[in-house]
């Protein structure tokens, strides 16, 4: 890793299913190439798989089963706590790549300069530099090159102050996949922390379409319901869910996807996902001022 003055200590967590060894190694090489001072610890977690041979500077953990994305990240956080001395958690997709060598330095500077900064969201772009609309955590047709405060963050590349996790808790392991970042973001905002999207912090990632899987539709719908039930004031729950149902229908997913979506929606309605901690109305207003009221 790069050398320099000690400052904010980063702890990197990478989850892998063991099916992208070349991409994983390229990502780890880009992590090792980072400059900017301070120390960095890195943990790679195999989700129910045996890990390939990895560099000695990494901490390798083979989980006995696939815990899902939030559960795996939680295991990474706990491992970093065991290692000790980590100020900021950095989460990276195993098929991503850091094309710039100053990314970690910029992260350290951001958290040092703003003590209320809780989460930083990376910009995700393909090898041509193109950022998909769904990877911009703002409502509407928003410029992906414009940095600014937001109400959620991207799972593929982000950084979280560890003291925020200590205060608001871990990712919701029950979600398994989809919307765990929004669940965490709403808790962080309600606790008074800021979330910032940084266009200059780039994670290069292949362009993909998550909607190619029926599981995507089921889990996104179920977890939307759980998200509302867990965090919204009671009067906003039906408004939020109705708006998302209408949005899904307007997008005209394939029939198989629509069936899976409604299956997940009613699964979320039937099943609890505690705890319920409705956000403050001041948080609702803050999100509205940031352009993403929690009814859209």
């Amino acid at each position: 890793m790069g050398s320099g003055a000690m400052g904010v200590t980063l702890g990197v967590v990478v989850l892998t299913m063991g099916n992208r060894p070349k991409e994983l190694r390229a990502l780890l090489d880009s992590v090792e190439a980072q400059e900017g001072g301070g120390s960095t610890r890195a943990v790679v977690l195999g989700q129910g798989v045996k890990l390939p041979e990895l560099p000695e500077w990494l901490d390798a953990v083979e989980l006995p089963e696939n815990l899902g994305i939030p559960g795996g990240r939680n295991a990474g956080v706990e491992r970093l706590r065991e290692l000790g001395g980590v100020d900021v958690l950095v989460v990276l997709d195993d098929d991503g790549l850091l094309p710039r060598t100053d990314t970690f330095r910029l992260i350290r500077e951001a958290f040092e300069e703003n003590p209320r900064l809780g989460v930083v969201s990376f910009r995700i772009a393909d090898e041509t530099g193109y950022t998909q609309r769904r990877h911009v955590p703002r409502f509407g047709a928003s410029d992906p090159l414009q940095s600014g405060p937001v109400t959620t963050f991207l799972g593929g590349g982000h950084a979280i102050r560890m003291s925020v996790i200590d205060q608001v808790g871990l990712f919701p392991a029950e979600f398994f996949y989809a919307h765990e970042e929004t669940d965490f973001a709403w808790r962080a905002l309600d606790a008074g922390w800021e979330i910032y999207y940084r266009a200059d912090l780039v994670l290069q990632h292949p362009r993909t379409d998550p909607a190619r899987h029926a599981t995507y539709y089921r889990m996104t719908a179920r977890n939307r319901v759980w998200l509302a039930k867990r965090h919204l004031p009671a009067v906003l729950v039906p408004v939020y869910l109705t708006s998302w149902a209408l949005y899904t229908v307007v997008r005209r997913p394939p029939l198989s996807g629509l069936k899976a979506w409604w299956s997940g929606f009613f699964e979320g309605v039937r099943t609890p996902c505690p705890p319920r901690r409705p956000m403050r109305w001041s948080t609702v207003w803050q999100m509205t001022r940031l352009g993403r009221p929690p009814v859209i």
Side-chain angles (χ1 to χ4, degrees):
M1 306 253 175
S3 60
M6 291 295 291
V8 172
T9 302
L10 305 185
V12 180
V13 167
V14 179
L15 304 181
T16 183
M17 296 294 294
N19 55 349
R20 296 188 282 232
K22 291 183 180 179
E23 292 88 344
L24 174 62
R25 187 54 192 255
L27 169 66
L28 297 177
D29 288 344
S30 72
V31 168
E32 189 176 19
Q34 290 298 302
E35 63 183 50
S39 58
T40 302
R41 295 180 174 85
V43 179
V44 176
L45 298 101
Q47 290 270 59
V49 296
K50 185 174 178 58
L51 290 171
E53 185 176 349
L54 297 172
E56 293 183 357
W57 56 270
L58 287 165
D59 189 71
V61 178
E62 293 179 352
L63 301 173
E65 60 180 314
N66 181 5
L67 301 178
I69 294 175
R73 289 178 187 159
N74 291 344
V77 170
E78 296 299 341
R79 181 55 183 158
L80 289 176
R81 283 173 171 164
E82 292 173 2
L83 296 174
V86 173
D87 303 305
V88 172
L89 164 73
V90 178
V91 173
L92 302 171
D93 271 2
D94 70 340
D95 57 345
L97 183 73
L98 298 173
R100 295 172 49 160
T101 60
D102 62 350
T103 299
F104 285 4
R105 175 176 59 82
L106 295 174
I107 292 172
R108 290 186 178 98
E109 290 174 354
F111 283 97
E112 287 172 345
E113 293 169 0
N114 183 359
R116 296 309 305 166
L117 180 62
V119 185
V120 169
S121 184
F122 291 25
R123 179 167 68 92
I124 296 179
D126 66 15
E127 63 279 1
T128 70
Y130 174 75
T131 296
Q132 292 177 267
R133 174 63 196 91
R134 67 186 183 91
H135 283 152
V136 183
R138 287 189 294 257
F139 187 70
S142 186
D143 182 2
L145 298 181
Q146 179 182 345
S147 300
V150 289
T151 62
T152 189
F153 57 95
L154 305 176
H158 60 267
I160 302 174
R161 196 184 296 271
M162 287 289 281
S163 57
V164 179
I165 300 175
D166 294 337
Q167 180 179 357
V168 307
L170 295 163
F171 289 96
E174 302 90 341
F175 281 37
F176 198 82
Y177 164 78
H179 303 317
E180 67 276 358
E181 297 90 9
T182 301
D183 183 278
F184 187 94
W186 285 7
R187 284 181 280 141
L189 290 171
D190 201 45
W193 295 97
E194 299 173 9
I195 304 173
Y196 213 85
Y197 169 75
R198 288 279 297 260
D200 57 339
L201 301 179
V202 179
L203 181 76
Q204 184 176 304
H205 190 280
R207 198 181 309 186
T208 59
D209 179 13
R212 66 190 184 277
H213 303 301
T215 301
Y216 163 83
Y217 289 103
R218 182 178 72 83
M219 289 195 171
T220 53
R222 183 197 66 182
N223 294 354
R224 283 283 181 197
V225 179
W226 282 354
L227 186 67
K229 288 165 63 174
R230 282 162 62 95
H231 299 301
L232 291 183
V235 68
L236 294 185
V237 173
V239 181
Y240 180 82
L241 296 180
T242 298
S243 70
W244 274 106
L246 291 174
Y247 177 73
T248 300
V249 172
V250 168
R251 293 181 67 189
R252 300 178 64 183
L255 182 60
S256 60
L258 191 59
K259 288 180 177 178
W261 193 93
W262 282 112
S263 173
F265 184 90
F266 288 115
E267 179 185 350
V269 171
R270 292 192 314 269
T271 57
C273 188
R276 172 163 170 75
R277 296 189 181 121
M279 67 175 63
R280 298 169 297 163
W281 282 103
S282 59
T283 304
V284 174
W285 175 238
Q286 177 190 1
M287 294 173 66
T288 302
R289 287 191 293 108
L290 290 174
R292 192 70 181 256
V295 294
I296 301 175

